[in-house]
């Protein structure tokens, strides 16, 4: 049996088209587009590509995207001052600070400083807390996109056994919360888990977000499972000289060729979770903009 390939690129296109329609309606109602401000500190090459892609994707759906590029030696105080201005600006609906940050800046201080109503990455403790208490508001983009890919695979999550490998605040933990909210029986695995292969073999739905190339082998997959591979690892092609970027390729945390012979559905890398993350960022920006413009009702 060869698995159905869950095409994240195609699904992301349909999410973007829906966002574009929603943005048009928003502009008619409010006389301005939703605004997304992306903040990049330093010169991390991967972050430069991610932030440019996010700004470009925003503009393509009619969101007013703005990229702030700050020097590598920016202080925490300077970054917090910028966030203060963006929090106070009524035309700004979404704020995203690209991680990782240079070492002189405390990541948690920065994430905590973003107005939760504009926290389109969903990393603020208020949004994490709302998700954990079953009242999701702005949900982290990668888990949100992964849930849509699971839905694309079809089948019910009700009572399904789900295993999430990786327990980061940005992927693993929110992913587990979403699966739990969808009535799956959820196991979280991490670097201290013993006999990870056996844990994975129990999964009807397996989500892997570790950052270790092809860690999960084909015989770790339960026959018929849905496999979501979040990992993005750049490895040298066979025979390449280390450091030669032209001879590298992107692989996931799952050994794709082996796993697709056992899974019923699987995401490729690239072209699976990655495009969905950006599409869900646009969706979150529209949701944040709508929520900010909707008068709050008293209790
Ligand atoms: P983190 O480094 O924050 O977390 C990695 C997690 O994997 C940790 O919980 C760690 O456990 C666990 N882990 C590490 N080694 C093992 C192991 N041998 N066995 C089991 N668990 C292990 O990473 P992120 O969550 O930020 O990202 C994970 C991957 O997903 C990366 O490849 C990243 O590039 C990718 N990613 C992709 C996105 C996309 O859009 N496609 C978006 C975000 C991330 P412990 O807690 O015990 O240390």
């Amino acid at each position: 049996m060869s698995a159905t390939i869950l095409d994240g690129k195609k699904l992301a296109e349909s999410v973007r088209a829906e966002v574009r329609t929603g943005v048009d309606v928003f502009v008619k109602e409010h006389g301005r587009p939703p605004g997304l401000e992306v903040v990049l500190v330093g010169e991390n090459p991967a972050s430069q590509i991610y932030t440019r892609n996010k700004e470009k994707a925003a503009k393509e759906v009619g969101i007013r995207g703005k990229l702030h590029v700050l020097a590598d030696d920016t202080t925490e105080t300077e970054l917090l001052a910028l966030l203060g201005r963006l929090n106070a600006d009524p035309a700004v609906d979404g704020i995203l600070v690209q991680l990782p940050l240079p070492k002189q800046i405390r990541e948690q201080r920065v994430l905590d400083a973003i107005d939760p109503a504009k926290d389109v990455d969903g990393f603020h403790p208020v949004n994490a807390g709302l998700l954990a208490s079953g009242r999701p508001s702005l949900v982290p983009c990668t888990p949100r996109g992964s849930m849509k890919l699971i839905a694309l695979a079809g089948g019910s999550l009700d009572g399904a056994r789900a295993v999430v490998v990786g327990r980061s605040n940005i992927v693993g933990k929110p992913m587990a919360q979403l699966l739990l909210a969808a009535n799956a029986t959820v196991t979280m695995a991490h670097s201290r888990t013993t006999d990870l292969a056996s844990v994975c073999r129990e999964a009807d739905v397996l989500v892997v977000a570790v950052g270790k190339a092809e860690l999960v082998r084909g015989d770790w997959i339960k026959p018929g499972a849905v496999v979501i591979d979040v990992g993005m690892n750049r490895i040298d092609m066979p025979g390449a000289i280390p450091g030669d970027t032209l001879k590298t390729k992107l692989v996931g945390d799952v050994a794709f060729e082996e796993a697709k012979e056992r899974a019923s559905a699987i995401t490729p890398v690239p072209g699976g979770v990655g495009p969905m993350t950006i599409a869900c960022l646009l969706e979150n920006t529209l949701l944040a903009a709508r929520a900010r413009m909707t008068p709050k009702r008293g209790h």
Side-chain angles (χ1 to χ4, degrees):
M1 180 181 70
S2 196
T4 301
I5 308 302
L6 298 170
D7 186 343
K9 241 172 128 178
K10 198 163 155 205
L11 184 59
E13 267 168 34
S14 70
V15 173
R16 286 169 194 237
E18 275 173 36
V19 173
R20 200 175 296 123
T21 308
V23 167
D24 288 344
V25 174
F26 184 90
V27 172
K28 280 197 190 100
E29 283 175 357
H30 303 289
R32 66 164 182 90
L36 171 66
E37 310 269 330
V38 179
V39 182
L40 169 66
V41 188
E43 282 151 20
N44 180 318
S47 295
Q48 285 175 334
I49 295 170
Y50 295 150
T51 48
R52 250 184 269 127
N53 287 347
K54 286 170 184 175
E55 184 201 18
K56 186 165 158 265
K59 286 181 173 161
E60 278 167 9
V61 296
I63 290 172
R64 184 188 57 76
K66 183 165 178 201
L67 176 59
H68 301 255
V69 182
L70 307 185
D72 205 36
D73 60 356
T74 300
T75 64
E76 189 176 283
T77 310
E78 286 166 337
L79 179 55
L80 293 177
L82 170 63
L83 295 178
R85 290 196 293 279
L86 298 178
N87 282 343
D89 185 339
V92 174
D93 300 291
I95 304 169
L96 178 159
V97 178
Q98 185 67 41
L99 303 178
L101 288 164
K103 56 183 180 319
Q104 74 276 15
I105 300 177
R106 286 167 291 178
E107 189 174 295
Q108 204 53 60
R109 271 299 297 280
V110 170
L111 297 181
D112 289 1
I114 296 172
D115 178 350
K118 300 187 178 188
D119 168 39
V120 283
D121 256 341
F123 297 162
H124 192 284
V126 166
N127 286 321
L130 285 170
L131 178 59
S133 38
R135 297 185 293 148
S137 174
L138 290 169
V139 173
C141 306
T142 301
R144 188 181 172 91
S146 299
M147 288 302 283
K148 290 184 196 285
L149 286 160
I150 293 170
L152 181 67
S156 171
L157 278 172
D158 214 317
R161 298 291 295 256
V163 172
V164 180
V165 189
R167 56 175 164 179
S168 71
N169 288 338
I170 65 175
V171 188
K173 281 184 196 145
M175 187 71 225
Q177 298 289 358
L178 290 173
L179 288 163
L180 193 60
N183 296 326
T185 301
V186 184
T187 301
M188 293 199 69
H190 43 78
S191 67
R192 308 294 178 89
T193 299
T194 52
D195 197 0
L196 183 62
S198 300
V199 175
C200 290
R201 274 185 208 113
E202 302 217 323
D204 301 309
V205 175
L206 178 63
V207 182
V208 190
V210 171
K212 294 224 162 16
E214 300 181 333
L215 171 79
V216 173
R217 310 309 309 185
D219 65 354
W220 297 20
I221 310 289
K222 180 176 175 177
V226 173
V227 179
I228 305 294
D229 188 355
V230 179
M232 287 200 297
N233 311 285
R234 193 156 283 285
I235 60 164
D236 288 332
M237 305 260 262
I241 302 157
D244 182 350
T245 46
L246 293 175
K247 301 250 171 63
T248 62
K249 65 172 183 167
L250 204 57
V251 298
D253 289 343
V254 178
F256 180 80
E257 291 302 326
E258 297 172 15
K260 80 176 182 8
E261 297 309 317
R262 307 250 303 192
S264 65
I266 185 167
T267 57
V269 178
V273 174
M276 291 303 293
T277 298
I278 296 199
C280 290
L281 169 68
L282 305 176
E283 203 175 49
N284 270 356
T285 305
L286 178 60
L287 291 173
R290 281 188 190 142
R292 290 186 59 249
M293 300 308 281
T294 308
K296 291 193 176 52
R297 282 188 295 161
H299 292 284

